[in-house]
Amino acid sequence: MSLVNAARPSPGSGPEPPPGRRPPPLLRRLVAPERLYLVALALTGLAAVVSVTLPAAERGELSANMVSATLGAAVGGLSLDTFLLSRPAGWIFSRGRAWILTMFGASVLLSAVAAALLTTVAGVGSHLVGVGAAAGLTVFNTVSSVALRQSSFRLVYTLRAVSGAVLVGGYAALYASGRLDGTVWSVVWLAIQWLSAVAVCGLVLRMVRRVGPAPAPTATGPDYRADVLAVGHLHTGIFAQMMTLRFNQILVARFVGAGPLGVYALAVAALEFAQAGAVVRAQRILAGRDGDPLSHRAGPVVRAALPVALAAVGGLAVLGLLQPEYQDAWVLGICLLPGALATGAGKTWSSVLLKERGERAPTRVALLTLAIAIPIYLAVIPLAGVVGAALASSLAYAVHALASRASLRQSQPRHSGTV
């Protein structure tokens, strides 16, 4: 059995369940993918709140491990999750088992190497945790994309939610036992990443058994070379985008220290609540088999994100009253808020750009943004610390969103009047 068998060459939405087995409409609304993703994100946020019980320096250690692992997975993972979601129906069957597993294995190995390098640059964190978690995240993200190709949004997001709940329980148990050590909490986080990875692999293997034997691959040499080029174009863009989003935290660890990183990373995590709807929207756009002429409208995403972002800033203010070490987190939240809204719009526009124009257009946008962001980060963070990092991040996210929209307008003049 392999992941190759998991995606049938069928419409993205898959067959409808028999009428007698359909959940009631109210239940379907309650367990809508957007709601499940928000629950998963809320539990991750709750884990971040529980981690505030750590001293700021210890939370900085935990945050450094997390950012080295997540950025390592993004940099080294070859963006296979997004690549698989953007492939047409039947692509996995046509390539064959050996090709898929070769790409998958290379992405896991490169993720581990990237995480090790980032941990060294940060000067804070554990190489063991960073490398192990990066590999686990790459496994989870890549295998999840196979499930999402089959429109298993509810199952994947339910796994995310369950993992978040287990992580909250693990942190709470450590706090109750008096283990306020950032390295120990990082090891628990590492274990949860692999628990999630194993669970989603089990989910996909069940799909494999239902599909049965895969047909012989039909791809030829030029097809495989085209895949390599497509991955290169796509990953260059996502590499640039993730460096824009996360590398500032590596620089905060390097130039400002673990304590300020703990506060800054908390504010970043809180504002990521506002991106839940945009993430689900982007995945639906990439996984869809037919074009939606209105799918590039980002106005509803931004309007839905604004109250969530404001609530997150309010939550940071309350936490600051309860934990004086984090009293400046709400200020960082205010500085990050414009960037959070811009990121929500940018995710929608860049996913449409990728779906309709291929890898090159979003890659150009991401490289432009990175070329602006990295010099700003290097100039501002050593001088202005975490406030400078937050303001520079918002500026970079706005540049990415506006450049994505401008590129999309060029390719879709008929939609130029939409928001």
Side-chain angles (χ1 to χ4, degrees):
M1 297 293 182
S2 75
L3 303 184
V4 169
N5 302 328
R8 288 182 182 273
S10 59
S13 59
E16 287 291 321
R21 298 174 57 187
R22 278 179 144 179
L26 178 59
L27 180 59
R28 288 203 303 272
R29 287 195 297 271
L30 289 175
V31 296
E34 291 83 356
R35 292 180 183 272
L36 288 172
Y37 188 87
L38 190 58
V39 168
L41 199 60
L43 288 166
T44 302
L46 180 57
V49 171
V50 175
S51 70
V52 173
T53 57
L54 288 170
E58 296 297 333
R59 192 182 190 283
E61 175 91 8
L62 173 63
S63 299
N65 285 322
M66 287 181 169
V67 71
S68 293
T70 54
L71 187 54
V75 168
L78 302 178
S79 306
L80 284 190
D81 51 346
T82 304
F83 177 75
L84 289 173
L85 282 172
S86 65
R87 295 306 91 186
W91 180 88
I92 291 182
F93 277 122
S94 71
R95 276 6 183 216
R97 176 181 308 172
W99 182 243
I100 300 298
L101 292 180
T102 297
M103 297 175 73
F104 179 62
S107 69
V108 174
L109 178 61
L110 290 173
S111 295
V113 172
L117 292 174
L118 288 166
T119 302
T120 300
V121 172
V124 179
S126 162
H127 283 82
L128 174 63
V129 173
V131 168
L137 285 165
T138 300
V139 171
F140 180 86
N141 292 336
T142 305
V143 178
S144 291
S145 67
V146 177
L148 293 175
R149 282 177 65 88
Q150 290 295 93
S151 298
S152 297
F153 290 93
R154 287 185 176 87
L155 289 175
V156 171
Y157 296 154
T158 298
L159 281 178
R160 286 183 180 273
V162 171
S163 298
V166 174
L167 181 61
V168 170
Y171 284 176
L174 288 174
Y175 174 74
S177 64
R179 300 293 299 276
L180 302 182
D181 184 327
T183 301
V184 175
W185 288 48
S186 297
V187 170
V188 170
W189 180 73
L190 165 64
I192 298 303
Q193 305 319 304
W194 274 103
L195 177 65
S196 302
V198 170
V200 79
C201 286
L203 169 65
V204 170
L205 286 174
R206 286 186 59 190
M207 294 180 178
V208 167
R209 294 189 181 97
R210 292 176 183 174
V211 170
T218 58
T220 61
D223 293 323
Y224 294 121
R225 287 192 291 274
D227 288 344
V228 173
L229 290 174
V231 168
H233 286 307
L234 174 63
H235 184 56
T236 299
I238 293 181
F239 163 82
Q241 187 174 352
M242 291 306 299
M243 287 290 287
T244 300
L245 291 172
R246 297 292 185 214
F247 192 63
N248 58 352
Q249 294 187 48
I250 298 291
L251 295 178
V252 168
R254 184 74 180 183
F255 293 112
V256 190
L261 174 62
V263 179
Y264 180 66
L266 175 66
V268 171
L271 268 294
E272 285 180 348
F273 277 101
Q275 300 175 23
V279 170
V280 175
R281 181 79 170 277
Q283 289 179 336
R284 283 186 176 279
I285 291 169
L286 290 174
R289 296 291 183 263
D290 50 3
D292 177 2
L294 300 179
S295 64
H296 70 295
R297 287 188 171 181
V301 173
V302 173
R303 287 192 292 272
L306 179 58
V308 180
L310 291 173
V313 172
L316 290 173
V318 172
L319 284 173
L321 295 175
L322 299 175
Q323 288 283 90
E325 282 188 294
Y326 297 93
Q327 62 184 352
D328 295 330
W330 74 273
V331 177
L332 300 178
I334 290 291
C335 296
L336 288 165
L337 192 149
L341 300 180
T343 300
K347 284 182 185 295
T348 299
W349 291 330
S350 61
S351 61
V352 176
L353 198 60
L354 170 62
K355 194 70 176 177
E356 297 196 354
R357 292 184 56 189
E359 294 82 9
R360 295 191 180 213
T363 294
R364 286 194 293 268
V365 170
L367 288 173
L368 169 65
T369 306
L370 182 65
I372 294 171
I374 295 299
I376 293 175
Y377 291 165
L378 290 170
V380 170
I381 292 174
L383 297 176
V386 289
V387 172
L391 292 173
S393 297
S394 282
L395 175 61
Y397 305 159
V399 168
H400 180 266
L402 292 174
S404 297
R405 181 58 178 144
S407 185
L408 188 60
R409 280 178 181 271
Q410 292 174 4
S411 67
Q412 290 186 316
R414 65 185 181 278
H415 297 319
S416 59
T418 59
V419 177

